[in-house]
Amino acid sequence: MKIEDLDKYYFINKEIQSLKQQLKDLQNIDIEISITDGLPLGVNTYNPANIINSKKEKIENRIRIKIETLLSEYEKLEKWLNKLEESEIRIIIRMRYIEMKRWEDIANYLHTDRTNPRKKLKTYLIKKGVKRNVGNSNKHFYK
């Protein structure tokens, strides 16, 4: 597990929510174009509704596949998180990386000094050998 993986946690969750909403919106679109009402149907009748509905189905399937992929990634992170022995560390990680709470908010929730959760998490991750990329991945530790 890397800190970059924790950084992705929040955005994976948000993307899943967004894709589910897109899927719901697409499913609410009913396309019925009837240009042949009252006319006899021929063999090669062009029906734009069929073409549009076919494209809509393809888009819906792509969204479902993307949701499945994201859910798999989310599940990996959840399994890792649930293996952590210390409940306080799990709370800090959830609040920081899933809920995107500020360190001050986490400290208030835990009834502690505002720098304490950050220090605890950083110490824990170093102790457990969680890799971190020097540079942009520390952004959540120092904000």
Side-chain angles (χ1 to χ4, degrees):
M1 181 62 58
K2 297 179 184 176
I3 291 183
E4 292 86 1
D5 295 329
L6 294 175
D7 286 340
K8 291 189 307 186
Y9 214 163
Y10 173 80
F11 295 103
I12 287 172
N13 192 21
K14 286 296 184 189
E15 188 173 2
I16 289 170
Q17 291 173 11
S18 172
L19 288 170
K20 283 182 177 180
Q21 185 59 49
Q22 285 179 7
L23 193 57
K24 185 178 175 183
D25 293 344
L26 273 173
Q27 290 169 344
N28 288 334
I29 297 173
D30 289 325
I31 300 180
E32 295 180 22
I33 302 172
S34 182
I35 56 173
T36 58
D37 279 348
L39 300 174
L41 296 175
V43 177
N44 294 324
T45 304
Y46 171 75
N47 188 345
N50 289 343
I51 294 169
I52 293 169
N53 284 325
S54 172
K55 288 182 180 184
K56 185 179 118 178
E57 277 182 35
K58 287 178 184 176
I59 293 169
E60 287 172 350
N61 287 334
R62 280 191 222 125
I63 291 173
R64 282 188 192 96
I65 290 168
K66 181 64 177 173
I67 289 172
E68 287 175 22
T69 304
L70 289 169
L71 285 172
S72 294
E73 190 70 24
Y74 193 86
E75 183 179 31
K76 287 179 197 173
L77 290 165
E78 274 293 326
K79 282 180 182 178
W80 176 82
L81 188 59
N82 289 331
K83 287 180 185 177
L84 301 180
E85 308 93 31
E86 297 180 38
S87 61
E88 186 177 29
I89 296 297
R90 285 194 305 270
I91 290 169
I92 292 169
I93 290 173
R94 283 189 193 284
M95 291 183 78
R96 184 67 180 167
Y97 293 99
I98 298 173
E99 299 171 20
M100 296 300 271
K101 298 285 186 182
R102 297 176 314 145
W103 291 116
E104 294 83 7
D105 297 331
I106 298 168
N108 288 337
Y109 181 80
L110 297 173
H111 306 289
T112 185
D113 179 67
R114 93 177 159 79
T115 60
N116 210 15
R118 181 184 58 80
K119 288 177 185 175
K120 279 187 178 183
L121 180 59
K122 189 173 184 179
T123 301
Y124 179 84
L125 293 175
I126 290 170
K127 179 179 141 188
K128 292 296 182 179
V130 174
K131 298 173 186 163
R132 58 189 170 137
N133 188 0
V134 178
N136 67 358
S137 65
N138 288 329
K139 63 186 171 198
H140 291 302
F141 276 105
Y142 299 108
K143 286 185 180 177

